[in-house]
Each structure stands twice: as C-alpha cells, then as structure tokens.
Amino acid sequence: MTSEFAVELRDVVKRFITPEGNDMAAVDHVTMQIKNGEFFSMLGSSGCGKTTSLRMVAGFEWPTEGEVYIEGKAMGHTPPFQRKVNTVFQSYALFQHMTVFQNLAFGLEMEGAKEDEIKKRVGRALEMVQLTGMDRRKPKQLSGGQQQRVALARALVKTPDVLLLDEPLGALDLKLRKEMQLELKALQQQLGITFIYVTHDQEEALTMSDRIAVMSKGKIQQLGTPVEIYERPTNKFVADFIGESNFLEGKIKSISKKEASVFVPSLNAEVVGMPISEGLVKGEEVIVSIRPEKIRIAEKDAVNQNMFRATVTNTVYIGVDTKVFVDAHGAKLKVWEQNRISRLDPKSFYTVGQEVWLMLLPENTIVLKKD
Amino acid sequence: MLKRLRESKSAQGTLLALPTTVWLFVLLIIPLILTAVVSFGKRSPDGNVIYTFTLDNYIRLFGYSTNCASGQAACFDPLYVNILLRSLSLAFNTTVLVISLAYPLAYFIARSHPKQRNTYLFMVLIPLWTNFVIRVYAWMMLLRKEGAINIIIGWVMNLLHIPFTPLEMLYTPGAVLVGMVYEFLPFMILPIYTSLEKIDLSLYEAAADLGANSIKTFLRVTLPLSMPGVVAGTILVFIPVMGTFIVSDILGGRQVILVGNLIQRQFLDARDPTFGSAASLILMVMTLIVTYFYTRKFGFGEEIVVA
Ligand SMILES: Nc1ncnc2c1ncn2[C@@H]1O[C@H](COP(=O)(O)OP(=O)(O)OP(=O)(O)O)[C@@H](O)[C@H]1O
Ligand SMILES: [Mg+2]
C-alpha cells in the first residue's frame, strides 16, 4: 500500500446536461479521503449524488473538475477495467447466460488466471458467501438474496483493494437485509478490504460504517463516525436527516470558550451551559437542537436550570418507546420515553392536558448556526 | 350442455383450440395432403393429373433420365439436383451475408441515442412499404447495362481516362444474391436489434468492472446475449429465400433458376402439376431438415415472437 488513503476525491465536480437542457452539478466540490481497510458509507436521500460519486471511483464516469485518486494515483481517464476496484451493482448485473461459476470465473479469466487457480479461487469465494454447491445454477434459478451473494462473490473473487457497493441490499426484504448487513460487515473485517458503501438507509449506514459521509444536493454535509454524526451533527440538515430532532430558534445570550447560553423566545427562557461548535458569536441567531429521546420528563421542578413547564398534547405507545408530544409556551416538542417499566397500568401514562416539567441536559443539546 | 362446458376445463380448452385447428386443417393440412397426392400422380398428355401411385416424379427430380445424349436407355441428369443445391447454397450465402450486414447495423442502432433510434428503425422499415416486386425491379434498373451503377462507374472512369465497357451485372448469380440480401435485410436487423436493445447497460459496466476491454465484452457478453436475435433472423431469412422465385426471376433471368422458379414453371409453363408438387415437397423437406438441425443446435430464437 503506497498511500495512506485507499481512495481520495479531491474537490470533485460532476456536471450533467439534463434532458431538459439544464446544466446541473450532480456532485459539487466533494472532497473525501477513505482510509485503507475502512468501511466508508455515503448516505443521503435520492438524487444527492451518491451513485455518481461511486461511479467516478469505478471509472464509469469521469469528473468534470477535480481528481479521483486510488492508492494515491491520480486516475484521470483510466478505464474501469484498469482500476483495482470492483463494484457490486444495485441491480446485481449478473450475466444471465452464464452459470454462477462462469460469472465468478469471468473476472479471473480476464486477468489471465490458470484454470485450476480459477477453480480454487471461485470455490473459496462461493464458500465465503455460503453458496457452495450452487455453482452450476443460472442466476435466474436463484433467489434475490442468493443473486446478491453471487454479485458480491463475483466482485470479491478478484481480491480488489477497494470494493464499491451501490445499495447492494436495496432489493432485499427487511429481515434478510439486517442479516446481510451484519454478514457484510463481518466479511469486510475478516478480509480487511476497503468498502465504499452507498445507501439511503441511515440505520444501515450507522450499523455498518466506520465513517459516514452525509450528502445532500451533491455536497458533503458532514463526514464522521456514526457516533459523531448522530451525537454532534454540525448543521441543521444532518440533525434533521439522521434520526429525529427538536429545533428551537434562539439567540446567544452569553458565550464562553466551552459553553453558550441561548435565549429561546418560544420557551420564554434561557437554555444554559450548552457545548458549542466553532464560529459562534454572542448575539448570533442560532438553532438549538435536541433529540427527542434526550429530553427528560419530570413530575415537578427538581433543579432550577433548563427546566421548562409544558403541557402534554398527545401520547403514542409504540412498544419500545412512548412518544409524548408536548407544548411548552408554544414550542411544540417531541419526547421519546423508553418503556423501561411495564405500561400496563394506565396510570403510568401521561394524560393529555397533564402539566409536566421538561429537563434539557445541556451536554445533549447542540447549538447550530442558522443558515 | 352449457353447464357442462362451464365446469369442464378440458372442454373449454378444446373449444378454444377449435378455430386454430380448423384454420390449420383447412389451410395447411388439406393442401399438403393434396400436394402429396398429386406428386405421386402422372401427367396426362393434355396437362391434367392422372391419380395413381408412382415415384416417377421423385426419381426424375434426383437425376434419373431416359432422355440421354449418349443413346443409353437411362442416365444421370444433374439438372434438378443442381437446382436444389443452388437454392440451398444461395439461401446459405444470403443468410451469412445478411447477418454480417445486419449485425453491425442493429448494433449501431441499439447503441445510438434513444431519440435517434426510432428514426433509424423507421429508415429500415421504409423499403417495406413498397411492393416486393417493385423493389426487385428497382434493382434491375440499377444493375442493367445502361443502369445507374454502370453510368456512375463509367463517368468516374471517364474522368480518370480509363477505358470502360459497361459491366454485365444483370442476370448473374451475383445479381440474385444482391437482390435477396436487399430484400431480406430488415428481417434480420429487427430481431437482432430487439435482442441487443434488451441487454441491460449495467452488464457492459459489470464486464468492464471485472477487467474486460470492449472486444472481450463484445465476445463474451454482447454476442452471446444477442444470439437469440440472430437465430430468429436466420429462420426468418433462410426459409423464404429457399422458396422465393421473384428475385431470381427478375434479376437472374434464365441464368439463375432456383427451386422456386422450377416449381412455378412446372405449374404455369410446363403444365405438369405432378412434378411441381414433388419439387414443392422436396423443397419443404429440405427446409425442414436444415431448420431442424439449426434449431436443435441454437434453439428457436425467442425474438421471433417479438419480430
Ligand atoms: N447520466 C446522467 N445524465 C443527467 N443527469 C444525471 C445522470 N446521472 C445522474 N444524473 C443526475 O444526477 C443527480 C444525482 O444522481 P445519482 O444517481 O448520483 O443519485 P443518488 O444519490 O445515487 O440517488 P439514488 O439514491 O436515488 O440512487 C440526479 O439528480 C440525477 O438526475
Ligand atoms: Mg443511486
């Protein structure tokens, strides 16, 4: 390995002329560095440029601006068949006229591998994805999940440095998806190959990834570990896109090196002692973001800081949690209460119209720039 | 009665198959039997059929002759055998040529921008709007001694100061071949196009991803996946070429006689329906044999349904 990074995108732009004749940037000044052996995910809603970014790494698409590096080498217009990366396609793209064995052997034959070596490597790859004995079947004679495994094995048998996966589990049902997520992750750790994984399923990304790039409209919104992305989103988009959040508009009242106090008009109160990110100044209009499961509900005022009176407007029992919707001086907030105790007793529920106290723990609260 | 029909699936099936059965019977089986019966008959001196059972017509077709130059009682006359072989080899050559022209064309159309595809397909189909015979006559105009091709070559040669005598192109086997290729080209382009167009673009990308350059991708992915189209096209071209007589009649004159011409002349000019029927049956058997072995090896092109 010559480079610290398996794949690097430096300031990459990809423009398309749409059929309507508009010029649009599907990928807009994207820079990311993917480390060797990393499970890296690109997460974003439909049309945000994930597939396009991946295709530029594979070589099916060339950047309009910027450069893609693989193992430290600038790729330029290197065609796909000369790049040491392999792709697992969303639609699998299996060769229907070939058997499973021939599908896997194809890539090795292209390398000029000998017959017995091909046999050995195909056998091992099939074993890896638990398809031993299926080698004489045609893809049409396999279930969706099995076809997915063939697609995976066909890419892995080439022992690429980097494996690109474009929503490989998109066509599978939920249960199989969850199984495959864990299997894929285990396989990646066992083989030590760099995975670049495209998905629009945030739970999937959070489950599997070492790091995630959250994308929107062709731009990276945040790049970090799952914990960072969930616990410390750096902008409102990420806070909103990943999981759920309550947003309160406010103004910075006082700020120190580590903490800020924000006056929130809709609460008619100040939230104090919140950790801050860089670049915030006193008097700035900001958004206070807090996850619903991080708000505590208390029967009465316990501490005097960061506690706010609220009225319960609705409750929804969903098994794991009870969703409590409250109104605090006009600020509508959602609060997820975990059902640690049995809720069989109706008295354990909050009733609509009940007065409660909300406690915001400052360390769970994020102050974001208003954009 | 109606109640029974409603309850019995097999009765329903029989009823549904009835129109087809009648159609096949009236238009295919009966004429075929009639042809067979006639082919075993004899021609009366005034050109009618005497119904007996004799293999004379078949024996004659395969070269038995009593009309020998050497004065022998019987000898081998290769006339009809040659006609059969000529038809077979012309059908073969036409099919091969048509494939080699149609494949690149179909490939080009299938890989062109979707907006242009329909225009190209339209252009392929336009000639079919003109009557078959008229299209063949057009080739006569092009190929004859005073025809367009000779005029153009002559004009170019004149510019280059090379002496030029107009080429005799009409009434040659080459002219018939050109005409056949021209007539049947669309029937090959369309099924090949259909099978090429069906190939998922991601398969090309997958092949490239796995290390195949464009030549290997073509040989290992594109070609095998488009074979059903080639097979369907071959069936659509080979069979009619074996039987048609118009192209060879107009462009081949008396020089290039095919089974089709032989049959036509037996019925119309020679007024010998018994010999014509025998030739018809032999043609059918020959075509069936070739098609049988061909489809056994390559399968029926599934595109035949689409085309
Ligand atoms: N060949 C192309 N020509 C024109 N526009 C394109 C082309 N390919 C992609 N786009 C546009 O670029 C944008 C990004 O597409 P891309 O396929 O990368 O999205 P994505 O993030 O993978 O979305 P999804 O989750 O739906 O797969 C889209 O708006 C799409 O319409
Ligand atoms: Mg996509």
Side-chain angles (χ1 to χ4, degrees), chain B residues 18 21 36 82 85 94 100 115 131 135 138 146 150 152 160 179 210-211 213 221 225 249 251 256 263 276 280 293 296:
Chain B
L18 197 65
T21 317
N82 280 346
L85 291 178
T94 305
S100 52
K115 271 188 196 155
N131 182 287
R135 274 179 283 151
E146 314 81 28
N150 269 325
I152 291 170
L160 301 171
L210 294 167
N213 58 25
V221 178
L225 285 174
D249 209 40
L251 299 178
V256 188
I263 296 167
S280 301
F293 283 109
R296 266 255 306 242

Side-chain angles (χ1 to χ4, degrees), chain A residues 291-309:
Chain A
R291 301 277 182 202
E293 76 275 13
K294 295 201 160 118
I295 302 177
R296 298 257 182 90
I297 298 182
E299 302 270 338
K300 54 181 191 264
D301 194 352
V303 286
N304 20 19
Q305 270 189 351
N306 292 344
M307 293 214 57
F308 310 96
R309 252 187 116 66

Side-chain angles (χ1 to χ4, degrees), chain A residues 104-283:
Chain A
L104 265 65
F106 185 88
L108 298 177
E109 282 163 22
M110 294 303 132
E111 286 170 15
K114 295 243 164 51
E115 202 174 315
D116 30 330
E117 194 202 334
I118 291 177
K119 265 203 191 119
K120 224 167 52 198
R121 283 171 69 179
V122 169
R124 239 185 294 143
L126 284 175
E127 202 176 311
M128 211 164 5
V129 297
Q130 295 155 32
L131 280 181
T132 313
M134 301 273 190
D135 47 353
R136 296 243 284 275
R137 300 238 194 140
K138 289 271 177 76
K140 281 227 175 81
Q141 298 163 325
L142 297 173
S143 74
Q146 290 168 334
Q147 289 183 30
Q148 204 285 323
R149 285 157 198 265
V150 176
L152 182 65
R154 187 178 67 176
L156 282 177
V157 79
K158 301 263 295 177
T159 56
D161 298 334
V162 181
L163 191 67
L164 311 175
L165 304 100
D166 190 356
E167 308 208 21
L169 309 180
L172 306 181
D173 64 56
L174 191 65
K175 191 163 172 292
L176 195 55
R177 247 183 116 110
K178 301 238 155 167
E179 275 173 37
M180 285 299 295
Q181 285 172 9
L182 299 177
E183 269 180 47
L184 269 179
K185 177 74 185 165
L187 200 63
Q188 187 262 341
Q189 282 169 338
Q190 176 197 331
L191 297 172
I193 295 176
T194 310
F195 273 36
I196 306 182
Y197 193 95
V198 160
T199 179
H200 63 254
D201 180 339
Q202 45 172 297
E203 200 182 320
E204 188 164 290
L206 292 171
T207 310
M208 304 168 82
S209 318
D210 295 320
R211 286 194 305 153
I212 301 172
V214 181
M215 295 181 68
S216 166
K217 293 185 186 143
K219 291 195 172 75
I220 294 187
Q221 295 295 327
Q222 186 171 356
L223 203 159
T225 64
V227 174
E228 281 167 3
I229 298 240
Y230 190 80
E231 302 289 347
R232 286 282 172 269
T234 51
N235 59 42
K236 192 182 168 199
F237 175 87
V238 178
D240 199 22
F241 184 72
I242 309 287
E244 290 193 58
S245 292
N246 292 295
F247 295 113
L248 295 166
E249 293 196 5
K251 198 170 191 176
I252 295 186
K253 235 354 215 317
S254 67
I255 189 161
S256 73
K257 259 197 192 134
K258 285 191 281 182
E259 295 177 351
S261 297
V262 174
F263 179 74
V264 179
S266 60
L267 289 174
N268 194 22
E270 217 171 290
V271 187
V272 298
M274 291 180 289
I276 53 161
S277 48
E278 280 168 44
L280 292 172
V281 291
K282 192 178 167 184

Side-chain angles (χ1 to χ4, degrees), chain B residues 104-292:
Chain B
L105 256 163
Y107 189 83
F108 169 78
I109 298 174
R111 296 302 288 272
S112 62
H113 194 278
K115 271 188 196 155
Q116 272 127 44
R117 261 183 234 163
N118 282 339
T119 317
Y120 294 138
L121 286 174
F122 187 66
M123 281 158 65
V124 170
L125 290 175
I126 282 180
L128 298 183
W129 293 2
T130 320
N131 182 287
F132 187 94
V133 181
I134 294 176
R135 274 179 283 151
V136 186
Y137 268 109
W139 273 103
M140 196 164 120
M141 295 306 180
L142 291 172
L143 292 173
R144 68 197 172 129
K145 223 168 169 178
E146 314 81 28
I149 294 174
N150 269 325
I151 291 177
I152 291 170
I153 300 178
W155 184 74
V156 172
M157 291 302 202
N158 196 16
L159 278 184
L160 301 171
H161 301 289
I162 301 169
F164 173 72
T165 43
L167 301 168
E168 300 274 1
M169 288 180 293
L170 199 56
Y171 308 131
T172 60
V176 177
L177 186 64
V178 167
M180 293 282 196
V181 168
Y182 172 79
E183 288 299 339
F184 291 98
L185 195 58
F187 299 100
M188 187 66 83
I189 294 178
L190 293 181
I192 296 180
Y193 164 79
T194 314
S195 62
L196 282 172
E197 198 254 352
K198 270 203 294 203
I199 301 176
D200 188 351
L201 288 182
S202 66
L203 292 185
Y204 300 120
E205 290 184 347
D209 191 74
L210 294 167
N213 58 25
S214 47
I215 296 169
K216 282 192 176 134
T217 303
F218 178 79
L219 292 177
R220 296 287 304 270
V221 178
T222 319
L223 195 58
L225 285 174
S226 61
M227 268 321 274
V230 177
V231 173
T234 303
I235 293 169
L236 290 177
V237 170
F238 185 85
I239 295 176
V241 171
M242 275 297 279
T244 182
F245 58 89
I246 295 175
V247 178
S248 45
D249 209 40
I250 298 174
L251 299 178
R254 298 242 144 230
Q255 310 302 311
V256 188
I257 294 172
L258 304 176
V259 199
N261 306 96
L262 175 68
I263 296 167
Q264 180 218 12
R265 280 173 204 182
Q266 289 307 316
F267 277 99
L268 299 180
D269 305 343
R271 301 202 122 264
D272 187 352
T274 64
F275 191 60
S277 295
S280 301
L281 282 181
I282 291 298
L283 166 65
M284 212 182 78
V285 168
M286 250 167 48
T287 314
L288 273 179
I289 290 173
V290 173
T291 319
Y292 174 76

